[in-house]
Amino acid sequence: MSIKNKIKNTQLSNKLKQTEFYWKIKNKIIKPPAHIYLILKCNLNCSYCVNEANPKENRHKEYKLAHADKWIEAINRMNRDVAFTGGEPTLHPEFIEIVNGIKKELKVIVYTNLVWSDEFTDKLISNLNRPIEILASYHPSSGKPEKIIEILKKLREKNVFQGTIHSVGTKQQEKFLIENVRPLFKKENFFLTIDKDQFNFFNEGRCSMKSRRTVHCSGKSIIIAPDGTRYPCVSKMLRMKDPLENIFKENLKGDFYSSVCQDYGFCSPCDMGFKIEPVSAI
């Protein structure tokens, strides 16, 4: 592991990433990639999945997938780095074609659980014609960690794997991850970070899912749904509420988003980086 990655994976660094302060500072100094939700379907069923936190209003199953040619044209026209996420982005039937079609000077990040078939793994390694950064996750529902480690080793051998592996430290599984899973990754020189359980955020006002109030919300955010529609935040994308521009039809209208929102209290833990102010303060 490089010195840079060792610094990233220190205990202090990981604790800092769990704070709202970290994301506020990061959003001010770093031009964020466009977070593209190629597909919201997942091949796992984790009990702590934040995409399923508001089932009464969740409409993500209504999205229709867009073809590769639309994504390639729109991303290259945006001319900015992208992060593919979901769901599990590699489940998009044209995932490899989409990645290969993106201009080489743009950075491509892929959030994936690595629950891949041998066929898909070999196909990706054989056909990938550009660098990508994989941010992998391990979940107990993924099955045996040895399988994930074997995929990581294949990716590393082909210089495809660049990134980190993380897991979610719920009360039920944190001890198991530390004592049983992390040593297996460490043995093969992969470091498994254990993130804070995002469901802890549901004890906080913005994610309580109990009552709504009106606030002024602002920050850098590019959240793009499977049909190419941009939304203010992950919560609204999952609920198909307050759509912004569609990148298949329009140019991206900047990084910064600012609006009066009536849904404070039903935010997604993925939206913790936004600045929240009382409407009276504006």
Side-chain angles (χ1 to χ4, degrees):
M1 182 185 295
S2 67
I3 294 176
K4 183 179 179 181
N5 282 337
K6 285 182 179 179
I7 292 173
K8 285 182 179 179
N9 291 326
T10 61
Q11 187 175 11
L12 177 60
S13 175
N14 291 330
K15 284 186 176 180
L16 185 61
K17 289 178 183 178
Q18 296 168 10
T19 66
E20 186 175 346
F21 171 78
Y22 171 86
W23 297 107
K24 283 184 176 180
I25 295 298
K26 182 177 180 180
N27 283 340
K28 286 182 179 180
I29 63 176
I30 297 176
K31 184 177 181 179
H35 280 77
I36 294 177
Y37 289 72
L38 280 181
I39 185 170
L40 285 163
K41 178 182 177 181
C42 188
N43 47 8
L44 298 179
N45 188 25
C46 300
S47 61
Y48 46 83
C49 179
V50 295
N51 283 358
E52 303 296 338
N54 186 9
K56 290 183 180 180
E57 299 180 23
N58 201 328
R59 298 175 59 192
H60 68 72
K61 293 181 181 179
E62 298 178 29
Y63 281 112
K64 293 182 179 180
L65 302 187
H67 290 297
D69 57 345
K70 285 191 173 183
W71 284 118
I72 293 168
E73 191 280 330
I75 291 169
N76 288 337
R77 177 165 37 84
M78 282 196 304
N79 196 36
R80 67 180 305 133
D81 299 340
V82 295
F84 289 124
T85 184
E88 171 52 41
T90 63
L91 292 179
H92 191 290
E94 297 176 305
F95 173 78
I96 298 174
E97 183 180 347
I98 293 169
V99 170
N100 280 341
I102 297 171
K103 293 188 291 189
K104 303 296 190 294
E105 58 265 32
L106 299 179
K107 184 177 182 180
V108 174
I109 303 167
V110 180
Y111 291 87
T112 173
N113 58 35
L114 290 179
V115 179
W116 299 349
S117 66
D118 292 337
E119 179 183 6
F120 177 83
T121 304
D122 294 339
K123 183 179 179 181
L124 178 69
I125 292 172
S126 299
N127 292 281
L128 195 65
N129 64 17
R130 53 121 55 240
I132 61 175
E133 179 178 344
I134 291 178
L135 300 181
S137 60
Y138 172 76
H139 307 274
S141 58
S142 302
K144 293 183 178 181
E146 289 86 352
K147 173 66 174 177
I148 305 300
I149 291 170
E150 286 305 309
I151 293 174
L152 286 168
K153 288 167 67 175
K154 285 184 178 182
L155 296 173
R156 184 169 61 187
E157 287 170 6
K158 298 295 182 179
N159 294 318
V160 174
F161 176 75
Q162 298 175 4
T164 60
I165 312 102
H166 79 93
S167 194
V168 179
T170 65
K171 290 181 180 180
Q172 293 80 9
Q173 66 190 34
E174 184 173 15
K175 183 177 180 181
F176 170 76
L177 291 169
I178 293 173
E179 296 180 357
N180 299 90
V181 178
R182 180 182 276 172
L184 295 176
F185 281 90
K186 186 176 181 180
K187 184 179 178 181
E188 299 295 339
N189 294 317
F190 295 113
F191 187 82
L192 178 73
T193 64
I194 300 176
D195 299 342
K196 183 178 180 180
D197 182 2
Q198 287 185 305
F199 265 86
N200 290 334
F201 290 125
F202 291 123
N203 296 321
E204 302 181 14
R206 70 172 67 188
C207 303
S208 64
M209 304 290 169
K210 295 178 180 177
S211 61
R212 289 177 165 87
R213 67 183 177 93
T214 302
V215 298
H216 183 267
C217 182
S218 62
K220 290 183 179 180
S221 171
I222 302 172
I223 306 295
I224 300 173
D227 64 355
T229 303
R230 180 184 178 186
Y231 283 88
C233 58
V234 174
S235 173
K236 290 188 176 181
M237 178 198 66
L238 293 170
R239 292 180 287 140
M240 290 184 160
K241 187 173 183 179
D242 298 336
L244 304 174
E245 66 268 28
N246 185 295
I247 65 167
F248 298 152
K249 305 173 184 177
E250 309 166 71
N251 290 326
L252 194 66
K253 296 178 181 177
D255 305 347
F256 194 77
Y257 171 77
S258 177
S259 179
V260 172
C261 176
Q262 297 177 332
D263 287 324
Y264 181 87
F266 281 73
C267 305
S268 166
C270 299
D271 299 322
M272 294 299 286
F274 287 100
K275 181 180 180 182
I276 302 298
E277 297 177 284
V279 173
S280 59
I282 307 303

